[in-house]
């Protein structure tokens, strides 16, 4: 085969390959572009989803860090103790003394627990944060007062039911807690006097030596 023959053969062949290449690349490029666009969209969607997840996690963490004070509706609170006292008062007015005793015993125990917890907190913060220590000490005193009030009412119920063996120890506890100089302590002592457990009145009159 001479050179002229080669020239006559190759141009059409080259043209054919050129057309074929054009057709192949024309088919491949859109697919590649579509694949690239799909990958880009997936990356974008993934980034948005990750951003949403991080924002949700951040919001959840922020909400978890918020500490709200108690509304007083939980079982271990002064409000719960006061509710028990009211229920006991209602039971007494209805002459349901068994229920009254149960409610007063619960209230007494609840206020005693609260007073102990507040006193422990006051001791823990003493010398560290005196403001908190004073606040907790005040709460301890308030709940101790409520405990003694519940104890006094319980003693009166026992006395009305002719059960001095139960009333006397409670009245003595009140005097120890309140001291004889305070009003509730004096009322408790007066109950002991009326029951005949003690025979000396207090406070004494001006003429008594």
């Amino acid at each position: 085969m001479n050179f002229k023959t080669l020239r006559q053969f190759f141009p059409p062949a080259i043209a054919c390959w050129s057309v074929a290449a054009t057709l192949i690349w024309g088919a491949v490029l859109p697919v590649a572009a579509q694949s690239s666009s799909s990958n880009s969209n997936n990356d974008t969607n993934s980034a948005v989803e990750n951003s949403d997840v991080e924002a949700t996690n951040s919001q959840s963490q922020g909400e978890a860090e918020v500490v709200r004070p108690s509304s007083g509706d939980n079982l271990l609170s002064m409000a719960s103790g006061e509710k028990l006292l009211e229920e006991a008062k209602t039971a007494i007015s209805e002459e349901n003394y068994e229920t009254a005793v149960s409610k007063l015993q619960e209230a007494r125990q609840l206020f005693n627990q609260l007073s102990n917890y507040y006193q422990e907190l006051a001791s823990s913060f003493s010398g560290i944060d005196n403001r908190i220590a004073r606040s907790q000490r005040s709460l301890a005193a308030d709940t101790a007062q409520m405990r003694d009030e519940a104890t006094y009412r319980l003693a009166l119920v026992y006395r009305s039911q002719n059960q001095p063996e139960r009333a006397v120890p409670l009245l003595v506890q009140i005097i120890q807690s309140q001291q004889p100089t305070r009003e509730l302590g004096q009322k408790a002592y007066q109950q002991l006097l009326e029951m005949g457990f003690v025979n000396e009145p207090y406070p004494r009159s001006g003429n008594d030596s």
Side-chain angles (χ1 to χ4, degrees):
M1 185 180 292
N2 57 30
F3 181 75
K4 183 177 181 181
T5 302
L6 288 174
R7 287 185 60 187
Q8 292 176 349
F9 176 79
F10 277 105
I14 292 173
C16 290
W17 281 106
S18 176
V19 172
T22 301
L23 292 175
I24 292 172
W25 281 107
V28 171
L29 287 176
V31 174
Q34 183 177 0
S35 177
S36 176
S37 175
S38 177
N39 291 336
S40 177
N41 290 335
N42 290 337
D43 291 342
T44 302
N45 292 336
S46 178
V48 171
E49 290 174 357
N50 290 337
S51 177
D52 291 341
V53 170
E54 292 175 359
T56 302
N57 291 338
S58 177
Q59 182 178 3
S60 299
Q61 291 174 357
E63 292 175 353
E65 291 172 358
V66 175
V67 178
R68 295 178 176 83
S70 171
S71 62
D73 294 334
N74 57 77
L75 294 177
L76 196 63
S77 68
M78 289 189 67
S80 294
E82 291 170 352
K83 182 179 179 181
L84 288 170
L85 292 179
E86 286 298 319
E87 291 172 350
K89 182 179 179 181
T90 301
I92 291 171
S93 66
E94 297 173 352
E95 297 185 358
N96 187 352
Y97 298 111
E98 183 177 353
T99 298
V101 167
S102 177
K103 296 296 182 180
L104 289 170
Q105 287 175 337
E106 288 182 48
R108 180 170 177 262
Q109 182 178 2
L110 175 59
F111 285 127
N112 189 60
Q113 287 179 327
L114 288 172
S115 181
N116 290 337
Y117 292 151
Y118 287 135
Q119 186 60 48
E120 289 172 2
L121 286 172
S123 299
S124 297
F125 279 95
S126 180
I128 297 175
D129 190 322
N130 290 329
R131 180 180 60 84
I132 294 179
R134 287 193 299 269
S135 173
Q136 300 304 308
R137 196 172 293 113
S138 176
L139 289 171
D142 291 342
T143 47
Q145 179 68 28
M146 296 299 294
R147 176 201 61 205
D148 292 344
E149 291 282 355
T151 303
Y152 181 73
R153 297 184 192 184
L154 181 59
L156 292 183
V157 173
Y158 283 143
R159 185 186 174 190
S160 69
Q161 296 297 297
N162 196 26
Q163 298 181 34
E165 70 281 1
R166 293 185 175 182
V168 169
L170 297 179
L171 294 170
V172 173
Q173 289 177 17
I174 294 169
I175 296 170
Q176 288 177 324
S177 175
Q178 292 283 318
Q179 300 299 317
T181 55
R182 301 181 65 180
E183 181 181 0
L184 189 58
Q186 292 178 11
K187 290 170 65 175
Y189 187 82
Q190 181 63 29
Q191 291 293 323
L192 292 175
L193 183 65
E194 292 176 4
M195 293 169 64
F197 187 77
V198 296
N199 54 17
E200 292 291 338
Y202 182 85
R204 296 176 181 272
S205 64
N207 295 327
D208 296 335
S209 57

